[in-house]
Amino acid sequence: MKSTTPTRRQFTTSALATGVIGTATLATSSLSPPARAAGGTAQATPPTQAPHWLSLLGTSQQNQPVTDVRIEGTLPHGLSGTLYRNGPGLFERDDYRKANVLDGDGYVQALSINNGKATHQAHFVRTEKYQDEEKAGRYLGATWTTRAPGGFLANLGGGGIRDQAGVTTYQVRDTLYAIDENTTKVHVLDPDTLETNSIIPAGLVDGMTIKAHTKIDAHTGDWIMLGGNFGPSMSIASAVHHADGTCTAAPAFKAPRQVYTHDFFATENYFLVYLQPAFFNPFSFLAGLNSFTDAITWKPEEGGLLALIPRNGEATRYIETPASWMWHALNAYEEGNTLIADFVGYDDPEHFIGKDPAFSAIMDGRLAANQIGGHLRRFVVNLDTHTAREERIADGPFEFPMTHAATALRKHRYGYMSYGTHDSIFHSGLARVDTQTGDTQSFDLGKHVWVGEPIHAPDPAHPLQENAGWVIAQALDGATGKSFYAIFRAENLSDGPIAKAHLAHHMPISFHGHWTPRTT
């Protein structure tokens, strides 16, 4: 089967030509000592036992049929629709375990709410990888954090990374999609049954791959994708799927640095890509010595670089910024000669890469000490002078920032995000931040609860009002070992949940969701 990750397809030939594989035996010092069966990062921090319930975030699940959900409290009148969510759902095969909680086969959920009742279902995305490995009963290749079984030789050329369709899900013009990081294709799902219907090209030029995060312009109906490829140098490309069914794919261009990015910004007239100083080394990866993530090095002394890409085809400009690690953008918009881009930024990504990442330690049943949280930050870009500054809007720790869908690419005021009352990457509450004043409403569900990304569901009576409607988040209850969905009023988030939709089992960590007024 062909790999859908560009690192194998795009620059294996280049690596061979430069003698990378021939010199692999001289580079063994870059190979991390095995800390787990999957060959992840070495353990450097004295182990601290993780609560058993928190380890459920990296515990596999099975397909779940449509089931009525027990409601605690009262679901509000007017809240009707479906919350789709996507994230990893399978973490081990044949006693070989993934090295990171962010890594697993795509597992899509649907929480459907109507007339004060709710149902829930969950299914694996039937990617080619998933189906082949189901038949084999074992992993057949590497994934982005985990080297392939079989050691050095099995990982030459990158280990054959394939699409897991396990990061985001979007319903665009009545079609439900599941998307992975760095893939040339997207999976089309049945919105009622979650069965996988087809696999279609993402639409970028020359087989370029896309990022899992896309943008939907509620005003025009445009669905915006951005990505590119790694290689001897890194390329950036974009595509816009228009409401009339046509697609505009822009030519790819080479970036001045080869770094890992997970998300991007979009406004009416620009794309903005933050080239954070997370440098990717293709040589150790292709030589079979490191997983993709172990081949990323954080170099804050290099600073950040914003790629300002005009959507009219004019030349890209690069603007220097301070160094921040960014997982997720909140939103971006233009205001006169200024571009505003809000995001959650970290001083250091040690929770993800480094000596003992928290996202890897949890797979060993440990809590790592390095869990520095993120804060809500802002890039202010002067479009005349092509300069930028970074501001801090509010102190976290925050993650998974979201806005009202109608504000995408336009001016927003409020952001909703997960929140921790202590400096930890595993959050236990939610927050609403006023990006104009920095004022923050928050509610903590307790130290024995994990809370993920909040999704805003508009109030049909006030469909465009940012602080109206409801906020829904998936959570894990440590007391019961089961998951639930917490529903808050957007305007009074600090009052706590008005209802909880309780599942009869746990759900693994779930990354991203999409709300639609359509019910299943």
Side-chain angles (χ1 to χ4, degrees):
M1 305 303 295
K2 291 184 178 180
S3 164
T4 58
T5 288
T7 47
R8 177 173 173 83
R9 184 179 58 252
Q10 293 293 326
F11 50 72
T12 300
T13 302
S14 172
L16 288 167
T18 55
V20 171
I21 294 175
T23 60
T25 56
L26 302 178
T28 54
S29 61
S30 66
L31 176 59
S32 301
R36 52 191 64 82
T41 314
Q43 301 176 14
T45 307
T48 301
Q49 188 70 28
H52 169 70
W53 66 269
L54 195 58
S55 297
L56 290 172
L57 295 177
T59 301
S60 301
Q61 253 300 353
Q62 300 176 343
N63 288 339
Q64 300 291 338
V66 178
T67 305
D68 290 333
V69 175
R70 179 176 67 85
I71 303 300
E72 176 185 351
T74 302
L75 290 173
H77 176 75
L79 179 59
S80 180
T82 300
L83 174 59
Y84 296 103
R85 294 202 59 80
N86 194 3
L90 183 64
F91 300 94
E92 63 280 316
R93 287 185 186 274
D94 194 28
D95 295 326
Y96 195 79
R97 185 159 168 78
K98 292 295 179 73
N100 192 297
V101 74
L102 305 186
D103 195 352
D105 290 280
Y107 188 63
V108 175
Q109 306 176 54
L111 177 74
S112 190
I113 299 172
N114 192 31
N115 293 326
K117 298 180 180 180
T119 62
H120 178 268
Q121 60 179 312
H123 289 270
F124 283 101
V125 184
R126 296 189 63 79
T127 63
E128 293 176 349
K129 170 188 177 295
Y130 177 83
Q131 294 182 75
D132 289 347
E133 291 175 343
E134 279 285 280
K135 293 177 183 177
R138 59 186 176 87
Y139 288 126
L140 299 176
T143 49
W144 71 308
T145 74
T146 306
R147 299 170 73 231
F152 165 74
L153 291 177
N155 287 276
L156 285 177
I161 295 178
R162 298 165 67 188
D163 190 341
Q164 297 187 110
V167 182
T168 58
T169 182
Y170 299 92
Q171 183 163 324
V172 183
R173 294 185 280 279
D174 297 325
T175 301
L176 183 64
Y177 299 91
I179 306 178
D180 204 13
E181 187 87 319
N182 290 344
T183 177
T184 61
K185 299 178 181 179
V186 297
H187 287 72
V188 179
L189 310 183
D190 185 308
D192 293 320
T193 67
L194 304 184
E195 293 293 333
T196 305
N197 285 342
S198 61
I199 307 172
I200 61 175
L204 272 66
V205 297
D206 301 327
M208 294 277 173
T209 68
I210 62 170
K211 291 296 175 185
H213 286 277
T214 68
K215 311 297 176 185
I216 301 173
D217 188 333
H219 293 255
T220 65
D222 286 346
W223 188 24
I224 302 166
M225 299 178 175
L226 188 137
N229 277 340
F230 294 110
S233 60
M234 189 174 85
S235 299
I236 297 175
S238 62
V240 179
H241 296 266
H242 304 290
D244 62 4
T246 61
C247 177
T248 302
F253 62 91
K254 294 193 180 301
R257 52 170 56 172
Q258 185 149 235
V259 296
Y260 173 73
T261 63
H262 180 65
D263 200 355
F264 68 101
F265 303 96
T267 68
E268 293 181 73
N269 297 296
Y270 295 92
F271 299 142
L272 192 67
V273 182
Y274 177 49
L275 302 175
Q276 59 193 2
F279 289 85
F280 174 65
N281 176 5
F283 305 113
S284 66
F285 171 66
L286 288 171
L289 301 175
N290 283 324
S291 68
F292 179 88
T293 51
D294 282 341
I296 299 171
T297 303
W298 180 245
K299 298 181 179 180
E301 68 277 8
E302 298 289 337
L305 201 62
L306 287 171
L308 182 66
I309 308 169
R311 294 179 63 176
N312 63 7
E314 294 180 1
T316 298
R317 292 181 178 269
Y318 297 95
I319 303 169
E320 294 181 352
T321 71
S324 290
W325 170 274
M326 183 186 91
W327 278 114
H328 300 114
L330 173 62
N331 190 36
Y333 60 90
E334 298 161 43
E335 195 167 54
N337 71 337
T338 302
L339 189 152
I340 303 295
D342 294 348
F343 67 104
V344 170
Y346 298 75
D347 292 333
D348 194 294
E350 60 184 1
H351 61 278
F352 175 57
I353 56 175
K355 293 182 179 180
D356 189 29
F359 288 156
S360 295
I362 196 67
M363 299 299 282
D364 295 331
R366 298 182 299 110
L367 285 177
N370 45 14
Q371 297 190 46
I372 297 173
H375 306 290
L376 188 60
R377 304 182 183 188
R378 167 173 289 177
F379 289 129
V380 181
V381 181
N382 187 308
L383 298 173
D384 292 333
T385 63
H386 298 105
T387 57
R389 69 179 188 271
E390 182 186 295
E391 300 176 347
R392 183 177 291 192
I393 299 172
D395 292 336
F398 300 125
E399 224 346 302
F400 297 120
M402 298 293 291
T403 59
H404 187 307
T407 68
L409 286 68
R410 271 72 177 180
K411 187 173 182 178
H412 64 274
R413 178 165 184 174
Y414 297 103
Y416 302 92
M417 55 208 75
S418 66
Y419 172 68
T421 57
H422 53 286
D423 205 22
S424 170
I425 201 65
F426 299 105
H427 295 167
S428 56
L430 295 184
R432 189 193 81 181
V433 178
D434 185 329
T435 63
Q436 292 183 13
T437 66
D439 291 343
T440 302
Q441 283 193 28
S442 65
F443 186 85
D444 183 65
L445 287 161
K447 64 180 182 179
H448 297 303
V449 175
W450 170 85
V451 182
E453 175 196 65
I455 295 293
H456 181 267
D459 185 345
H462 308 281
L464 300 180
Q465 189 172 329
E466 287 185 70
N467 63 341
W470 304 275
V471 176
I472 309 173
Q474 179 182 325
L476 175 64
D477 186 345
T480 64
K482 300 176 182 179
S483 295
F484 65 92
Y485 284 87
I487 297 95
F488 296 75
R489 294 191 187 277
E491 66 270 32
N492 295 308
L493 186 144
S494 59
D495 290 346
I498 57 174
K500 295 180 181 178
H502 290 275
L503 306 184
H505 43 73
H506 90 278
M507 282 284 111
I509 191 171
S510 180
F511 299 148
H512 300 293
H514 186 86
W515 172 263
T516 172
R518 181 186 186 278
T519 57
T520 61

